[in-house]
Amino acid sequence: MRKIFIITTILITCFSCEKQLTKEAPFISENVVFESENLTEAYIADIYSRSAFQVASNENMGLISAVGAEHINFANWQTPNNAFIRLYSEETGPGPLDRWNFFNIRNMNYLLENIESSETLSQEYIQAKKAEVRFLRAYDYFEMVKRFGGVPIVTKVQNQSDPEAELYVSRNTEQEVYDFIYNETQAILDNFDNSAVGADGRVDKYTVLMLQSRAMLYAASIAKNGEEGPNGVTGIPGNLANSYYQKSYDASMEVINSGMFSLINAGDDKVSNYASIFLTEGSSNPETIFAEVFEPVIKGHNLDLLATPAGFNATWNSNFPVLYDFVELFDFTDGRSGKIDRSLFNSETEWDINDFFGNRDPRFRASVFYPESEWQGESVWFHNNTILSDGTKVNSTTQTITRIDGTEMPQASEPRNRRNTALLLRKRVDENNPDPSAGQSGQDFIVFRYAETLLNFAEAAFYLGNTGEALDAINQIRERAGMPLRIGITEDNIRQERQVELCFENHRFWDLIRWRIADQYLDQVRTRGLVYSYNLDSNKYIITLKNAETQIRSFGPERYYLPFAQGRLADNPNLVQNPGY
């Protein structure tokens, strides 16, 4: 299935990359597209590719983590670093966070309107393809509603000759869009059998249920935590929160009860076990529910090239510095809080790096490069200098010193490793990639995985009053991670567990938005990185703080929704701007 899907993706680029098949495309007549399974699959593969589940690619694949204050990018000219400053307005629009995928939705509507007229495709095949495309349309609407609130729901092909009343569609309410997503996914469930093929990149029953699980949780959170906007298109009435929590709970429960998925939990090494989740592909991974499939060269990406630390076999490296503020969420395996008194980061206090980092949550160690991390048989270094016995600081990156245990280390690390935060993204990076050059990484991007199912279930159960079920779901995840089990459950426990378990997977920013607490983490905040000096005599590090970003972050109350640019408003006079812009 993976090979078929990739080959089909190539087919579509040969004849219709930028042209709608509703118009004349080179070599192919619109009249025959839905008379051939191969051409139909190619048409749908193009829809998949435009859904862009990974959100951005290559240097920009860190976009959502950057705006969510998990990690940033190496250089300020890179899009994620421009985005986290979040200087969007009615004049500039939403910038790189934009998602206005009505071109893709038009192509979906075209298939849904025309495939039924096929004279050669079987009804069974037609219904299966319609269900697949209706899911992708619902997914696109979810990506838009979480950005803008209410957006126009368009379910028919629009043509330039249509009356203005049909072309200039008004915004539906945020509630109506979430209800549309639920009703669409509910309507197509019976078109899928019980087989699980989502890990190979095709929509199945469990993928549909997971969109319900996630989207309904978002709707419930907005109803519970948000406010209805003055123009009627943002916000959801608070009295509907429980009904959405129940829908999310029910969808998650169906995935759980299917018995088709489980947490990867092999062996006693919790670090390597967690890391393996993101490097085990296809049906070999019992945790993956749905993934966007990648293959080197054919449809590859640059993660290994960009994320590998300096000093190893990658030429454009150290691109994703992790913010220390986010690291504080990772507690220690003995139960200590990961948030350490910052006054202790001074020129006098010394730290055992194996405790400061090495005894933290194994999910941290599997997700972040820190001083003396092991990689490809060697240590990764981040220190600025080495303090000798006489107090002298030496900082050559080419000269070495001999440590107490007889091993050697450089006097100072490669500058790129310590430039922003002296911590780097490790999650999803493939240590065994023999050629991390451009386009040579093939790790799939997991869109839905079973750990999220449990987290969604726990959150919905908690607000529905089923605290025992919520606690059990959270403890399943903590047991797999090698962390102490909770004896009780709170809202803060659930939120912390979600951020830690799903770190760097494009969740945190949207979670902070739907919980309506983004201002606590993103407004008037100067995020921090670390500076290390290694003491040769004590074999410990002096750790101090530094500013990780060039500007203070700002997040006003209007920013829970993105603005429409003036050009978009001018294109459709029936659109109304979001509150506060």
Side-chain angles (χ1 to χ4, degrees):
M1 176 66 78
R2 292 169 63 85
K3 291 180 180 177
I4 291 171
F5 186 54
I6 291 166
I7 291 170
T8 305
T9 303
I10 297 171
L11 280 175
I12 194 66
T13 63
C14 294
F15 65 81
S16 183
C17 277
E18 294 301 328
K19 294 190 177 182
Q20 299 177 47
L21 289 178
T22 53
K23 301 177 181 177
E24 185 177 352
F27 315 122
I28 298 294
S29 167
E30 62 180 13
N31 298 324
V32 300
V33 171
F34 304 128
E35 300 300 337
S36 160
E37 286 194 11
N38 286 339
L39 292 179
T40 301
E41 293 296 338
Y43 187 98
I44 294 172
D46 186 53
I47 292 172
Y48 270 95
S49 69
R50 294 178 189 278
S51 295
F53 298 100
Q54 190 166 252
V55 178
S57 62
N58 299 331
E59 287 94 344
N60 297 337
M61 68 175 63
L63 175 65
I64 304 302
S65 288
V67 295
E70 295 177 90
H71 68 67
I72 54 176
N73 272 43
F74 174 81
N76 287 336
W77 55 262
Q78 292 174 322
T79 299
N81 284 14
N82 290 322
F84 71 62
I85 298 171
R86 301 178 58 74
L87 296 177
Y88 45 71
S89 66
E90 183 175 334
E91 288 74 30
T92 62
L97 288 175
D98 195 20
R99 181 74 169 252
W100 197 249
N101 220 4
F102 283 98
F103 176 88
N104 208 28
I105 287 172
R106 186 180 193 276
N107 286 348
M108 297 185 217
N109 289 340
Y110 182 81
L111 179 143
L112 294 172
E113 287 183 11
N114 289 278
I115 195 171
E116 288 279 7
S117 301
S118 174
E119 297 179 358
T120 56
L121 300 178
S122 70
Q123 269 302 308
E124 182 181 11
Y125 179 83
I126 288 171
Q127 294 309 311
K129 296 301 107 178
K130 287 179 67 176
E132 196 172 352
V133 169
R134 286 175 75 179
F135 166 85
L136 293 170
R137 186 173 64 178
Y139 185 88
D140 262 345
Y141 271 106
F142 175 61
E143 288 297 317
M144 290 193 291
V145 72
K146 71 185 185 184
R147 287 166 166 79
F148 296 103
V151 296
I153 297 176
V154 180
T155 58
K156 64 181 292 291
V157 174
Q158 294 175 302
N159 296 294
Q160 291 182 346
S161 58
D162 290 343
E164 287 190 0
E166 295 181 18
L167 286 175
Y168 301 134
V169 184
S170 299
R171 295 174 64 180
N172 288 81
T173 66
E174 188 166 8
Q175 178 190 339
E176 287 171 337
V177 178
Y178 276 108
D179 287 345
F180 173 79
I181 293 166
Y182 180 77
N183 292 334
E184 282 289 285
T185 51
Q186 193 69 12
I188 63 178
L189 274 172
D190 288 343
N191 291 106
F192 298 95
D193 60 24
N194 292 326
S195 60
V197 297
D200 289 319
R202 295 306 290 257
V203 174
D204 60 12
K205 173 182 179 179
Y206 311 103
T207 308
V208 177
L209 287 168
M210 279 306 299
L211 179 55
Q212 283 189 355
S213 170
R214 185 187 293 179
M216 295 303 99
L217 188 65
Y218 277 49
S221 300
I222 292 162
K224 181 179 186 299
N225 304 308
E227 298 178 354
E228 294 182 74
N231 54 26
V233 291
T234 58
I236 297 174
N239 62 356
L240 297 178
N242 276 8
S243 66
Y244 288 117
Y245 280 127
Q246 189 66 53
K247 288 181 171 69
S248 177
Y249 175 97
D250 291 343
S252 301
M253 179 65 87
E254 191 166 348
V255 174
I256 293 168
N257 287 342
S258 74
M260 299 294 290
F261 307 98
S262 61
L263 299 174
I264 286 183
N265 198 9
D268 296 329
D269 188 337
K270 298 298 186 180
V271 175
S272 62
N273 178 71
Y274 183 77
S276 73
I277 298 169
F278 311 97
L279 301 173
T280 305
E281 298 181 340
S283 58
S284 299
N285 189 335
E287 189 159 341
T288 301
I289 297 174
F290 178 69
E292 183 175 9
V293 173
F294 289 89
E295 291 290 341
V297 182
I298 298 172
K299 184 189 175 184
H301 51 79
N302 293 351
L303 179 62
D304 298 323
L305 172 70
L306 296 167
T308 297
F312 295 84
N313 63 336
T315 55
W316 179 239
N317 43 47
S318 311
N319 267 266
F320 305 113
V322 174
L323 298 167
Y324 178 69
D325 309 69
F326 185 63
V327 170
E328 291 179 318
L329 288 172
F330 293 86
D331 293 334
F332 291 86
T333 54
D334 60 7
R336 285 177 291 155
S337 170
K339 194 166 187 176
I340 294 169
D341 181 355
R342 290 191 173 188
S343 69
L344 297 174
F345 297 132
N346 53 51
S347 60
E348 305 297 327
T349 306
E350 294 188 342
W351 304 87
D352 179 348
I353 211 70
N354 292 319
D355 179 56
F356 188 84
F357 288 125
N359 285 329
R360 284 183 188 261
D361 190 320
R363 292 170 290 190
F364 166 79
R365 289 179 277 153
S367 301
V368 179
F369 288 111
Y370 56 87
E372 303 191 29
S373 299
E374 290 297 316
W375 187 251
Q376 297 179 343
E378 300 180 24
S379 296
V380 185
W381 306 106
F382 291 88
H383 57 295
N384 279 28
N385 52 60
T386 298
I387 304 171
L388 303 181
S389 299
D390 61 0
T392 303
K393 293 182 179 179
V394 291
N395 58 10
S396 171
T397 59
T398 58
Q399 299 296 313
T400 61
I401 46 93
T402 304
R403 294 167 27 133
I404 293 172
D405 60 6
T407 62
E408 291 192 340
M409 67 183 288
Q411 293 178 359
S413 68
E414 295 278 355
R416 282 183 69 96
N417 284 353
R418 50 184 155 92
R419 179 177 184 267
N420 298 88
T421 67
L423 297 162
L424 293 171
L425 175 70
R426 179 174 185 162
K427 193 172 190 175
R428 287 183 68 207
V429 184
D430 186 0
E431 188 172 11
N432 298 312
N433 185 347
D435 183 12
S437 55
Q440 297 294 329
S441 293
Q443 301 93 311
D444 293 349
F445 177 74
I446 301 176
V447 181
F448 298 118
R449 65 183 176 96
Y450 188 61
E452 186 198 344
T453 312
L454 293 173
L455 288 162
N456 293 354
F457 178 78
E459 188 172 341
F462 178 80
Y463 291 119
L464 291 171
N466 304 326
T467 54
E469 290 182 322
L471 177 62
D472 176 69
I474 292 297
N475 277 339
Q476 287 183 53
I477 293 171
R478 290 180 67 82
E479 186 280 329
R480 187 270 292 276
M483 291 297 289
L485 301 186
R486 301 280 187 196
I487 58 174
I489 195 72
T490 66
E491 181 180 77
D492 287 343
N493 294 156
I494 291 170
R495 290 180 175 181
Q496 180 184 10
E497 200 67 35
R498 186 177 182 90
Q499 293 175 81
V500 168
E501 174 65 28
L502 302 178
C503 62
F504 315 125
E505 295 181 50
N506 293 341
H507 287 277
R508 190 195 192 212
F509 175 66
W510 304 118
D511 286 338
L512 296 178
I513 293 289
R514 67 182 176 88
W515 293 330
R516 293 298 191 259
I517 59 172
D519 55 306
Q520 298 176 31
Y521 296 90
L522 305 178
D523 189 36
Q524 301 307 303
V525 171
R526 174 66 69 82
T527 59
R528 311 307 293 274
L530 301 178
V531 178
Y532 314 98
S533 291
Y534 174 72
N535 189 315
L536 183 61
D537 286 347
S538 64
N539 194 30
K540 293 183 178 180
Y541 288 79
I542 291 173
I543 303 176
T544 53
L545 294 169
K546 67 176 179 180
N547 292 329
E549 300 173 328
T550 57
Q551 296 189 36
I552 295 174
R553 291 183 180 235
S554 63
F555 191 98
E558 77 283 357
R559 294 176 184 248
Y560 284 107
Y561 297 99
L562 297 177
F564 294 105
Q566 288 182 340
R568 186 166 290 163
L569 294 172
D571 287 342
N572 182 353
N574 288 328
L575 286 181
V576 293
Q577 182 61 278
N578 275 328
Y581 294 100

